[in-house]
Amino acid sequence: MDAAPASSGNMHPRIVTDASGDPLILWYNASRAMFTRWNGTAFEAPRLLHPGSLKVAGAGWMGPDITAHGDTVYAVFKETPEDEGVSWCVHSYDGGITFSNPVKVEQLGNDLSRFPTVTTDASGNPIVAFMKFNSSFGDARWVVTRSDDYGNIFSPDVLASEWSGGASEACDCCPGSIVASGDTVAMLYRDNNNHVRDTWAGFSTDGGDTFNEGMNIDQQNWTIHACPASGPDGVVLGDTLYSVFMSGANGKSRVYVSRTSLTGLSSTGGTPLADDDNIALQNFPRISGDGNALGVVWKQVVNNNDELVLLFTNDLSRGLPAVYDTVDLERTINADISVRDGNVFVVWEDNASGTVKFRAGTYEVTTSTSEVDITGGLKLYPNPSADIWTVEGPGLESDMSIEIINTAGSIIGWQKIENNGGRTDINNLALDPGVYFLRIMDKGEVRILRALKL
Protein backbone atom coordinates (compact mmCIF):
# COMPACT_ATOMS: atom_id res chain seq x y z
CA MET A 1 0.00 0.00 0.00
CA ASP A 2 0.97 3.66 -0.21
CA ALA A 3 2.19 5.02 3.12
CA ALA A 4 1.71 8.54 1.80
CA PRO A 5 0.42 10.22 -1.39
CA ALA A 6 2.77 11.14 -4.21
CA SER A 7 2.29 14.82 -3.37
CA SER A 8 4.27 14.22 -0.17
CA GLY A 9 7.29 12.78 -2.00
CA ASN A 10 9.04 9.46 -1.41
CA MET A 11 12.83 9.76 -1.15
CA HIS A 12 15.03 7.74 1.24
CA PRO A 13 12.30 6.23 3.48
CA ARG A 14 13.22 4.86 6.92
CA ILE A 15 11.03 2.74 9.20
CA VAL A 16 10.99 1.83 12.92
CA THR A 17 8.26 0.65 15.30
CA ASP A 18 6.69 2.11 18.46
CA ALA A 19 6.04 0.35 21.78
CA SER A 20 2.99 -1.40 20.31
CA GLY A 21 4.95 -2.65 17.30
CA ASP A 22 3.22 -0.26 14.89
CA PRO A 23 5.28 1.29 12.06
CA LEU A 24 6.64 4.83 12.04
CA ILE A 25 8.01 6.11 8.70
CA LEU A 26 10.33 9.03 7.92
CA TRP A 27 11.40 10.20 4.46
CA TYR A 28 12.75 13.19 2.51
CA ASN A 29 10.87 15.45 0.12
CA ALA A 30 11.89 18.81 -1.34
CA SER A 31 14.06 20.02 1.58
CA ARG A 32 11.65 18.58 4.15
CA ALA A 33 11.68 15.69 6.61
CA MET A 34 8.27 14.02 6.35
CA PHE A 35 6.70 11.64 8.88
CA THR A 36 3.71 9.35 9.22
CA ARG A 37 2.57 6.78 11.79
CA TRP A 38 0.16 3.86 11.75
CA ASN A 39 -2.81 4.72 13.99
CA GLY A 40 -4.21 1.19 14.19
CA THR A 41 -6.21 1.30 10.97
CA ALA A 42 -4.25 3.44 8.50
CA PHE A 43 -1.25 5.69 8.05
CA GLU A 44 -1.95 9.22 9.21
CA ALA A 45 -1.63 12.24 6.93
CA PRO A 46 2.10 13.07 6.46
CA ARG A 47 3.49 16.00 8.40
CA LEU A 48 6.67 18.04 8.70
CA LEU A 49 8.98 17.36 11.65
CA HIS A 50 10.50 20.84 11.67
CA PRO A 51 9.55 24.47 10.97
CA GLY A 52 9.02 25.14 7.29
CA SER A 53 11.76 27.77 7.33
CA LEU A 54 14.35 25.07 8.13
CA LYS A 55 15.49 23.39 4.90
CA VAL A 56 16.74 19.80 5.10
CA ALA A 57 19.38 17.98 3.01
CA GLY A 58 18.45 14.77 1.27
CA ALA A 59 18.43 12.68 -1.91
CA GLY A 60 17.52 9.15 -2.98
CA TRP A 61 20.71 7.77 -1.38
CA MET A 62 20.81 9.83 1.84
CA GLY A 63 18.55 11.83 4.09
CA PRO A 64 16.98 12.08 7.56
CA ASP A 65 17.21 9.16 10.00
CA ILE A 66 14.94 7.82 12.76
CA THR A 67 15.11 5.48 15.75
CA ALA A 68 12.72 4.42 18.50
CA HIS A 69 12.97 3.01 22.01
CA GLY A 70 9.43 2.03 22.86
CA ASP A 71 7.37 5.20 22.43
CA THR A 72 10.46 7.44 22.70
CA VAL A 73 11.27 8.44 19.11
CA TYR A 74 14.15 10.50 17.70
CA ALA A 75 14.62 11.87 14.19
CA VAL A 76 17.75 13.64 12.94
CA PHE A 77 18.33 15.69 9.82
CA LYS A 78 20.96 18.00 8.33
CA GLU A 79 20.12 21.59 7.53
CA THR A 80 20.94 22.82 4.03
CA PRO A 81 23.03 24.37 2.54
CA GLU A 82 25.37 21.82 4.05
CA ASP A 83 28.31 24.22 4.22
CA GLU A 84 26.27 26.55 6.44
CA GLY A 85 23.68 24.49 8.31
CA VAL A 86 23.97 22.12 11.28
CA SER A 87 22.32 18.85 12.26
CA TRP A 88 19.14 18.83 14.32
CA CYS A 89 17.25 16.30 16.44
CA VAL A 90 13.56 16.20 17.34
CA HIS A 91 12.14 13.89 19.98
CA SER A 92 8.76 12.40 20.78
CA TYR A 93 7.80 10.70 24.03
CA ASP A 94 4.36 9.54 22.87
CA GLY A 95 5.12 7.32 19.89
CA GLY A 96 5.24 10.10 17.32
CA ILE A 97 1.92 11.77 18.16
CA THR A 98 3.78 14.96 19.03
CA PHE A 99 7.38 16.06 18.48
CA SER A 100 9.60 18.66 20.13
CA ASN A 101 11.12 21.67 18.47
CA PRO A 102 14.48 20.89 16.80
CA VAL A 103 17.50 20.66 19.11
CA LYS A 104 20.99 21.37 17.73
CA VAL A 105 23.14 18.24 17.84
CA GLU A 106 26.55 19.67 16.98
CA GLN A 107 29.14 22.06 18.37
CA LEU A 108 31.03 22.63 15.11
CA GLY A 109 32.99 25.87 15.46
CA ASN A 110 34.54 26.35 12.01
CA ASP A 111 33.96 22.71 11.00
CA LEU A 112 31.25 21.32 8.72
CA SER A 113 29.04 18.24 8.88
CA ARG A 114 26.89 15.78 6.89
CA PHE A 115 24.86 12.57 7.25
CA PRO A 116 23.50 12.49 10.84
CA THR A 117 22.33 9.03 11.96
CA VAL A 118 20.82 8.01 15.29
CA THR A 119 20.33 5.10 17.69
CA THR A 120 19.46 4.82 21.41
CA ASP A 121 21.18 3.44 24.47
CA ALA A 122 19.58 0.92 26.83
CA SER A 123 17.78 3.72 28.70
CA GLY A 124 16.33 5.32 25.58
CA ASN A 125 18.73 8.25 25.32
CA PRO A 126 19.81 9.23 21.78
CA ILE A 127 23.30 8.58 20.40
CA VAL A 128 23.95 10.54 17.20
CA ALA A 129 26.79 10.12 14.71
CA PHE A 130 27.65 12.48 11.89
CA MET A 131 30.44 13.04 9.40
CA LYS A 132 32.63 15.98 10.30
CA PHE A 133 34.92 18.04 8.03
CA ASN A 134 37.24 20.99 8.30
CA SER A 135 36.11 24.32 6.88
CA SER A 136 37.14 23.25 3.35
CA PHE A 137 35.20 19.95 3.41
CA GLY A 138 38.48 18.07 4.00
CA ASP A 139 39.61 15.68 6.74
CA ALA A 140 36.36 13.69 6.65
CA ARG A 141 35.80 11.63 9.80
CA TRP A 142 32.91 10.16 11.78
CA VAL A 143 32.17 11.52 15.24
CA VAL A 144 29.59 10.62 17.88
CA THR A 145 27.66 12.69 20.38
CA ARG A 146 25.10 11.57 22.94
CA SER A 147 22.43 12.99 25.18
CA ASP A 148 21.82 11.95 28.79
CA ASP A 149 18.53 13.86 29.12
CA TYR A 150 16.51 12.30 26.29
CA GLY A 151 17.46 14.64 23.49
CA ASN A 152 17.50 18.08 25.10
CA ILE A 153 21.28 18.63 25.36
CA PHE A 154 24.06 16.83 23.46
CA SER A 155 27.65 16.28 24.59
CA PRO A 156 30.77 17.37 22.66
CA ASP A 157 31.49 14.87 19.89
CA VAL A 158 34.21 12.20 20.04
CA LEU A 159 36.10 10.61 17.15
CA ALA A 160 34.81 7.17 16.09
CA SER A 161 36.63 6.53 12.77
CA GLU A 162 40.17 6.61 11.26
CA TRP A 163 41.02 3.06 12.37
CA SER A 164 42.73 1.93 9.16
CA GLY A 165 45.67 4.31 9.60
CA GLY A 166 46.67 7.88 10.20
CA ALA A 167 46.33 8.79 6.52
CA SER A 168 42.79 7.45 6.20
CA GLU A 169 39.63 9.52 5.92
CA ALA A 170 35.98 8.63 5.81
CA CYS A 171 34.55 8.12 2.34
CA ASP A 172 33.09 11.61 2.21
CA CYS A 173 29.88 10.98 0.24
CA CYS A 174 28.88 7.69 1.90
CA PRO A 175 26.35 7.75 4.76
CA GLY A 176 27.05 5.71 7.87
CA SER A 177 25.04 3.86 10.49
CA ILE A 178 25.27 3.65 14.27
CA VAL A 179 23.90 0.77 16.35
CA ALA A 180 23.95 0.03 20.09
CA SER A 181 23.34 -2.86 22.45
CA GLY A 182 23.84 -2.30 26.16
CA ASP A 183 27.06 -0.33 26.61
CA THR A 184 28.42 -1.44 23.22
CA VAL A 185 28.10 1.07 20.37
CA ALA A 186 29.27 0.34 16.82
CA MET A 187 29.87 3.13 14.30
CA LEU A 188 29.71 1.63 10.78
CA TYR A 189 31.21 3.65 7.94
CA ARG A 190 32.95 3.36 4.58
CA ASP A 191 36.63 4.15 4.90
CA ASN A 192 38.98 5.74 2.36
CA ASN A 193 42.60 4.73 2.84
CA ASN A 194 44.43 5.66 -0.37
CA HIS A 195 41.22 4.82 -2.30
CA VAL A 196 40.63 1.47 -0.57
CA ARG A 197 37.00 1.92 0.43
CA ASP A 198 36.15 -1.01 2.68
CA THR A 199 33.54 -0.80 5.43
CA TRP A 200 34.93 -0.38 8.95
CA ALA A 201 33.42 -0.17 12.41
CA GLY A 202 34.55 1.82 15.42
CA PHE A 203 33.57 0.30 18.78
CA SER A 204 32.71 1.85 22.12
CA THR A 205 32.17 -0.11 25.33
CA ASP A 206 30.98 2.83 27.44
CA GLY A 207 27.82 3.85 25.63
CA GLY A 208 29.49 6.07 23.05
CA ASP A 209 31.52 8.26 25.40
CA THR A 210 34.78 6.96 23.87
CA PHE A 211 35.75 4.75 20.94
CA ASN A 212 38.84 2.67 21.62
CA GLU A 213 38.83 -0.03 18.95
CA GLY A 214 38.07 -0.41 15.27
CA MET A 215 38.28 -3.08 12.61
CA ASN A 216 37.66 -3.84 8.94
CA ILE A 217 34.37 -5.76 8.87
CA ASP A 218 34.38 -5.85 5.06
CA GLN A 219 37.81 -7.19 4.01
CA GLN A 220 37.06 -7.01 0.25
CA ASN A 221 39.90 -4.52 -0.43
CA TRP A 222 37.77 -2.51 -2.88
CA THR A 223 39.95 0.11 -4.55
CA ILE A 224 38.02 2.81 -6.38
CA HIS A 225 38.91 6.42 -7.15
CA ALA A 226 35.30 7.68 -7.24
CA CYS A 227 32.97 7.84 -4.27
CA PRO A 228 30.23 5.14 -4.47
CA ALA A 229 27.67 7.10 -2.39
CA SER A 230 26.53 3.95 -0.58
CA GLY A 231 26.92 3.18 3.11
CA PRO A 232 26.53 0.25 5.52
CA ASP A 233 23.80 -0.77 7.95
CA GLY A 234 23.90 -3.03 11.00
CA VAL A 235 22.10 -4.67 13.91
CA VAL A 236 23.36 -6.35 17.10
CA LEU A 237 21.76 -9.66 18.05
CA GLY A 238 23.14 -11.40 21.11
CA ASP A 239 26.90 -10.96 20.99
CA THR A 240 27.13 -10.51 17.22
CA LEU A 241 27.09 -7.43 15.00
CA TYR A 242 25.45 -8.26 11.66
CA SER A 243 26.29 -5.68 9.02
CA VAL A 244 25.46 -5.24 5.33
CA PHE A 245 27.12 -3.10 2.67
CA MET A 246 27.78 -2.84 -1.05
CA SER A 247 31.18 -3.54 -2.61
CA GLY A 248 32.46 -3.69 -6.17
CA ALA A 249 35.70 -5.48 -5.33
CA ASN A 250 34.97 -8.42 -7.64
CA GLY A 251 34.14 -6.12 -10.56
CA LYS A 252 30.40 -6.15 -9.89
CA SER A 253 28.24 -4.10 -7.54
CA ARG A 254 27.18 -6.70 -4.94
CA VAL A 255 25.72 -6.63 -1.42
CA TYR A 256 27.50 -8.47 1.39
CA VAL A 257 26.76 -9.52 4.95
CA SER A 258 29.39 -9.63 7.69
CA ARG A 259 29.25 -11.16 11.16
CA THR A 260 31.43 -9.63 13.86
CA SER A 261 31.76 -11.20 17.30
CA LEU A 262 31.74 -8.52 19.98
CA THR A 263 33.59 -10.93 22.28
CA GLY A 264 37.17 -10.48 21.16
CA LEU A 265 36.25 -8.52 18.01
CA SER A 266 36.65 -11.03 15.21
CA SER A 267 34.85 -10.75 11.87
CA THR A 268 33.94 -13.11 9.05
CA GLY A 269 34.45 -10.35 6.52
CA GLY A 270 31.93 -9.85 3.74
CA THR A 271 29.97 -12.76 2.25
CA PRO A 272 27.83 -12.15 -0.88
CA LEU A 273 24.12 -12.38 -0.20
CA ALA A 274 23.24 -13.28 -3.78
CA ASP A 275 25.46 -13.57 -6.83
CA ASP A 276 24.09 -14.45 -10.24
CA ASP A 277 25.33 -13.52 -13.72
CA ASN A 278 21.86 -12.17 -14.54
CA ILE A 279 22.16 -9.56 -11.77
CA ALA A 280 23.61 -6.38 -13.25
CA LEU A 281 24.04 -4.58 -9.93
CA GLN A 282 22.96 -4.52 -6.30
CA ASN A 283 22.95 -1.60 -3.87
CA PHE A 284 21.54 0.06 -0.73
CA PRO A 285 21.17 -2.96 1.60
CA ARG A 286 19.37 -2.53 4.93
CA ILE A 287 19.17 -4.98 7.83
CA SER A 288 16.98 -5.51 10.88
CA GLY A 289 16.62 -8.25 13.46
CA ASP A 290 14.84 -9.22 16.65
CA GLY A 291 15.70 -12.14 18.91
CA ASN A 292 16.52 -15.00 16.55
CA ALA A 293 15.05 -13.40 13.40
CA LEU A 294 17.01 -11.43 10.78
CA GLY A 295 16.00 -9.77 7.52
CA VAL A 296 17.89 -7.94 4.76
CA VAL A 297 16.45 -5.94 1.85
CA TRP A 298 18.25 -4.41 -1.11
CA LYS A 299 17.72 -3.04 -4.58
CA GLN A 300 19.05 -4.90 -7.61
CA VAL A 301 18.76 -4.73 -11.40
CA VAL A 302 18.04 -7.90 -13.41
CA ASN A 303 17.56 -7.77 -17.20
CA ASN A 304 17.27 -3.97 -17.00
CA ASN A 305 14.44 -4.23 -14.44
CA ASP A 306 14.56 -2.94 -10.86
CA GLU A 307 13.83 -5.42 -8.10
CA LEU A 308 13.43 -5.07 -4.35
CA VAL A 309 14.36 -8.39 -2.72
CA LEU A 310 14.40 -9.81 0.80
CA LEU A 311 16.41 -12.48 2.61
CA PHE A 312 14.83 -13.52 5.90
CA THR A 313 15.17 -16.18 8.58
CA ASN A 314 13.29 -16.65 11.83
CA ASP A 315 16.07 -18.94 13.11
CA LEU A 316 19.59 -17.54 12.84
CA SER A 317 21.08 -20.85 13.97
CA ARG A 318 20.19 -22.13 10.48
CA GLY A 319 21.68 -19.07 8.74
CA LEU A 320 20.10 -17.02 5.97
CA PRO A 321 18.34 -18.93 3.18
CA ALA A 322 19.98 -19.45 -0.20
CA VAL A 323 17.02 -18.02 -2.14
CA TYR A 324 15.61 -14.51 -1.72
CA ASP A 325 11.98 -13.37 -1.87
CA THR A 326 10.79 -10.58 -4.16
CA VAL A 327 9.06 -7.62 -2.49
CA ASP A 328 8.53 -5.42 -5.56
CA LEU A 329 9.28 -5.37 -9.28
CA GLU A 330 8.67 -1.69 -10.01
CA ARG A 331 11.11 1.21 -10.16
CA THR A 332 12.68 0.81 -6.73
CA ILE A 333 15.41 3.19 -5.60
CA ASN A 334 15.94 2.89 -1.83
CA ALA A 335 14.33 0.77 0.90
CA ASP A 336 14.31 -0.02 4.62
CA ILE A 337 13.19 -2.89 6.86
CA SER A 338 12.01 -3.41 10.44
CA VAL A 339 11.80 -6.88 12.02
CA ARG A 340 10.05 -7.15 15.37
CA ASP A 341 7.72 -9.42 17.35
CA GLY A 342 6.65 -11.64 14.47
CA ASN A 343 6.27 -8.83 11.92
CA VAL A 344 8.41 -7.78 8.94
CA PHE A 345 7.77 -4.25 7.66
CA VAL A 346 9.36 -3.01 4.42
CA VAL A 347 9.18 0.49 2.94
CA TRP A 348 10.68 1.73 -0.31
CA GLU A 349 10.99 4.66 -2.66
CA ASP A 350 8.82 3.70 -5.62
CA ASN A 351 9.44 5.86 -8.68
CA ALA A 352 6.66 4.25 -10.71
CA SER A 353 3.98 5.70 -8.43
CA GLY A 354 6.04 8.47 -6.84
CA THR A 355 4.97 7.24 -3.40
CA VAL A 356 6.50 5.64 -0.32
CA LYS A 357 5.34 2.02 -0.58
CA PHE A 358 4.76 -0.26 2.42
CA ARG A 359 4.39 -4.03 2.77
CA ALA A 360 3.98 -6.16 5.88
CA GLY A 361 4.61 -9.85 6.51
CA THR A 362 4.51 -12.14 9.52
CA TYR A 363 6.71 -14.94 10.85
CA GLU A 364 6.70 -17.47 13.66
CA VAL A 365 8.86 -16.33 16.58
CA THR A 366 11.45 -18.94 17.58
CA THR A 367 13.84 -19.12 20.50
CA SER A 368 17.42 -20.27 20.63
CA THR A 369 19.77 -21.24 23.43
CA SER A 370 22.33 -18.93 21.82
CA GLU A 371 20.28 -15.96 23.04
CA VAL A 372 21.24 -16.49 26.70
CA ASP A 373 22.58 -13.38 28.47
CA ILE A 374 26.13 -14.46 29.37
CA THR A 375 26.55 -11.54 31.80
CA GLY A 376 23.96 -12.98 34.20
CA GLY A 377 22.78 -9.46 35.02
CA LEU A 378 26.23 -8.25 36.10
CA LYS A 379 27.56 -4.82 35.13
CA LEU A 380 31.17 -3.77 34.62
CA TYR A 381 32.42 -0.20 35.05
CA PRO A 382 34.37 1.85 34.26
CA ASN A 383 34.97 0.07 30.97
CA PRO A 384 37.49 0.83 29.55
CA SER A 385 39.65 1.34 32.65
CA ALA A 386 43.30 2.12 33.34
CA ASP A 387 43.41 0.88 36.94
CA ILE A 388 40.25 -0.60 38.49
CA TRP A 389 37.22 -2.45 37.12
CA THR A 390 34.14 -2.76 39.31
CA VAL A 391 31.77 -5.71 38.90
CA GLU A 392 28.28 -5.11 40.28
CA GLY A 393 25.09 -7.11 40.35
CA PRO A 394 23.22 -10.07 41.79
CA GLY A 395 24.78 -13.28 43.04
CA LEU A 396 28.27 -12.07 43.97
CA GLU A 397 29.44 -14.12 46.96
CA SER A 398 32.72 -14.05 48.89
CA ASP A 399 33.44 -17.74 48.25
CA MET A 400 33.54 -17.15 44.48
CA SER A 401 36.45 -16.04 42.30
CA ILE A 402 36.92 -14.13 39.07
CA GLU A 403 39.24 -15.44 36.36
CA ILE A 404 40.92 -13.00 33.97
CA ILE A 405 41.23 -14.44 30.45
CA ASN A 406 43.06 -12.98 27.46
CA THR A 407 41.84 -13.10 23.84
CA ALA A 408 43.80 -16.30 23.24
CA GLY A 409 41.65 -18.02 25.88
CA SER A 410 44.41 -18.35 28.50
CA ILE A 411 43.74 -17.69 32.19
CA ILE A 412 46.29 -15.02 33.14
CA GLY A 413 45.03 -14.17 36.61
CA TRP A 414 42.31 -14.58 39.20
CA GLN A 415 41.13 -13.07 42.45
CA LYS A 416 38.64 -13.84 45.22
CA ILE A 417 35.47 -11.82 45.27
CA GLU A 418 35.33 -9.35 48.11
CA ASN A 419 31.61 -8.66 48.20
CA ASN A 420 30.98 -5.06 49.21
CA GLY A 421 27.26 -4.39 48.92
CA GLY A 422 26.84 -6.43 45.75
CA ARG A 423 30.01 -5.32 44.03
CA THR A 424 33.72 -6.12 43.90
CA ASP A 425 36.77 -4.31 42.53
CA ILE A 426 39.43 -5.79 40.23
CA ASN A 427 42.89 -4.21 40.01
CA ASN A 428 44.11 -4.25 36.38
CA LEU A 429 47.26 -2.10 36.74
CA ALA A 430 49.57 -5.03 35.90
CA LEU A 431 47.71 -5.86 32.66
CA ASP A 432 48.83 -4.72 29.23
CA PRO A 433 46.33 -2.58 27.29
CA GLY A 434 43.82 -4.68 25.37
CA VAL A 435 40.68 -6.80 25.59
CA TYR A 436 40.09 -9.28 28.44
CA PHE A 437 37.26 -11.47 29.68
CA LEU A 438 36.21 -11.82 33.31
CA ARG A 439 34.72 -15.24 34.07
CA ILE A 440 32.73 -15.92 37.23
CA MET A 441 31.62 -19.47 38.04
CA ASP A 442 29.04 -20.42 40.68
CA LYS A 443 27.53 -23.90 41.04
CA GLY A 444 27.88 -24.62 37.36
CA GLU A 445 26.64 -21.22 36.17
CA VAL A 446 29.16 -19.27 34.10
CA ARG A 447 28.97 -15.51 33.68
CA ILE A 448 31.35 -13.64 31.37
CA LEU A 449 32.06 -9.92 31.07
CA ARG A 450 34.11 -8.28 28.33
CA ALA A 451 36.63 -5.78 29.75
CA LEU A 452 38.91 -3.24 28.07
CA LYS A 453 42.20 -2.14 29.69
CA LEU A 454 43.57 1.25 28.66
Side-chain angles (χ1 to χ4, degrees):
M1 67 176 72
D2 289 339
S7 59
S8 298
N10 69 344
M11 301 181 85
H12 197 70
R14 292 290 177 258
I15 186 168
V16 294
T17 57
D18 62 16
S20 300
D22 291 327
L24 313 171
I25 304 174
L26 176 75
W27 69 98
Y28 169 80
N29 177 45
S31 300
R32 298 175 293 173
M34 306 296 299
F35 174 82
T36 185
R37 61 186 293 272
W38 184 261
N39 62 16
T41 57
F43 284 105
E44 296 178 347
R47 50 196 163 100
L48 270 175
L49 287 190
H50 52 86
S53 58
L54 195 160
K55 305 303 180 183
V56 170
W61 52 276
M62 66 94 169
D65 194 26
I66 189 170
T67 192
H69 182 92
D71 279 336
T72 300
V73 185
Y74 303 98
V76 292
F77 36 82
K78 175 61 198 287
E79 186 178 359
T80 189
E82 290 182 277
D83 58 352
E84 297 177 9
V86 299
S87 294
W88 300 89
C89 177
V90 294
H91 58 260
S92 170
Y93 304 143
D94 54 16
I97 297 174
T98 60
F99 277 89
S100 69
N101 291 325
V103 175
K104 185 161 62 172
V105 170
E106 307 156 341
Q107 303 174 34
L108 290 175
N110 293 324
D111 289 334
L112 306 172
S113 69
R114 300 187 81 182
F115 306 141
T117 181
V118 62
T119 188
T120 66
D121 65 15
S123 300
N125 282 299
I127 306 172
V128 178
F130 57 92
M131 191 181 292
K132 193 173 184 179
F133 306 82
N134 62 26
S135 58
S136 302
F137 270 116
D139 188 24
R141 69 271 193 199
W142 281 95
V143 298
V144 172
T145 177
R146 57 169 293 126
S147 169
D148 292 320
D149 61 359
Y150 299 95
N152 292 290
I153 299 174
F154 286 86
S155 64
D157 60 75
V158 297
L159 182 66
S161 63
E162 298 184 355
W163 295 105
S164 68
S168 69
E169 293 187 350
C171 186
D172 59 8
C173 70
C174 294
S177 179
I178 189 167
V179 295
S181 177
D183 288 331
T184 299
V185 181
M187 177 65 236
L188 282 65
Y189 64 97
R190 191 181 297 280
D191 193 49
N192 180 6
N193 189 344
N194 196 27
H195 304 295
V196 176
R197 299 181 190 255
D198 280 355
T199 295
W200 281 67
F203 294 97
S204 168
T205 55
D206 56 12
D209 285 333
T210 58
F211 285 76
N212 297 99
E213 294 179 90
M215 69 179 303
N216 187 340
I217 59 176
D218 181 335
Q219 301 174 23
Q220 300 302 303
N221 195 36
W222 185 23
T223 303
I224 180 174
H225 290 259
C227 183
S230 179
D233 192 27
V235 64
V236 175
L237 298 177
D239 194 41
T240 302
L241 167 67
Y242 295 86
S243 51
V244 288
F245 46 86
M246 182 273 290
S247 176
N250 69 352
K252 303 174 183 178
S253 174
R254 290 291 183 263
V255 295
Y256 293 79
V257 63
S258 174
R259 293 173 294 280
T260 303
S261 170
L262 299 179
T263 304
L265 287 188
S266 60
S267 178
T268 62
T271 302
L273 283 174
D275 195 359
D276 186 292
D277 289 340
N278 292 321
I279 300 175
L281 65 87
Q282 298 171 328
N283 208 348
F284 304 129
R286 296 286 291 179
I287 190 170
S288 180
D290 183 33
N292 208 33
L294 184 73
V296 184
V297 293
W298 68 90
K299 176 254 183 77
Q300 64 184 26
V301 176
V302 179
N303 297 324
N304 295 319
N305 295 317
D306 291 336
E307 295 181 351
L308 177 60
V309 297
L310 163 75
L311 272 180
F312 174 82
T313 180
N314 68 340
D315 187 356
L316 265 173
S317 65
R318 299 183 299 186
L320 287 167
V323 180
Y324 54 73
D325 294 317
T326 301
V327 180
D328 186 59
L329 290 172
E330 294 292 336
R331 293 167 56 197
T332 301
I333 303 298
N334 206 313
D336 198 18
I337 183 173
S338 176
V339 175
R340 182 183 167 193
D341 292 340
N343 292 306
V344 181
F345 298 135
V346 178
V347 291
W348 66 97
E349 177 183 343
D350 186 280
N351 274 8
S353 63
T355 62
V356 174
K357 290 286 189 182
F358 169 86
R359 287 191 76 177
T362 61
Y363 65 92
E364 180 182 355
V365 177
T366 65
T367 59
S368 169
T369 56
S370 65
E371 295 302 312
V372 174
D373 178 10
I374 62 174
T375 68
L378 297 177
K379 296 181 180 179
L380 180 69
Y381 62 89
N383 192 18
S385 162
D387 48 13
I388 299 291
W389 290 307
T390 297
V391 178
E392 182 178 81
L396 293 178
E397 302 294 341
S398 297
D399 61 346
M400 297 160 53
S401 63
I402 296 180
E403 297 174 334
I404 303 174
I405 303 170
N406 62 20
T407 55
S410 301
I411 300 173
I412 61 172
W414 72 279
Q415 78 173 54
K416 297 284 288 184
I417 288 179
E418 297 178 0
N419 191 351
N420 181 16
R423 67 182 185 182
T424 189
D425 292 334
I426 303 170
N427 189 312
N428 60 32
L429 283 171
L431 298 179
D432 293 330
V435 177
Y436 297 89
F437 304 97
L438 309 180
R439 182 166 64 190
I440 303 167
M441 300 185 65
D442 177 33
K443 299 176 183 178
E445 179 185 3
V446 179
R447 288 179 281 179
I448 299 175
L449 298 164
R450 181 175 179 274
L452 183 65
K453 167 64 189 301
L454 292 176

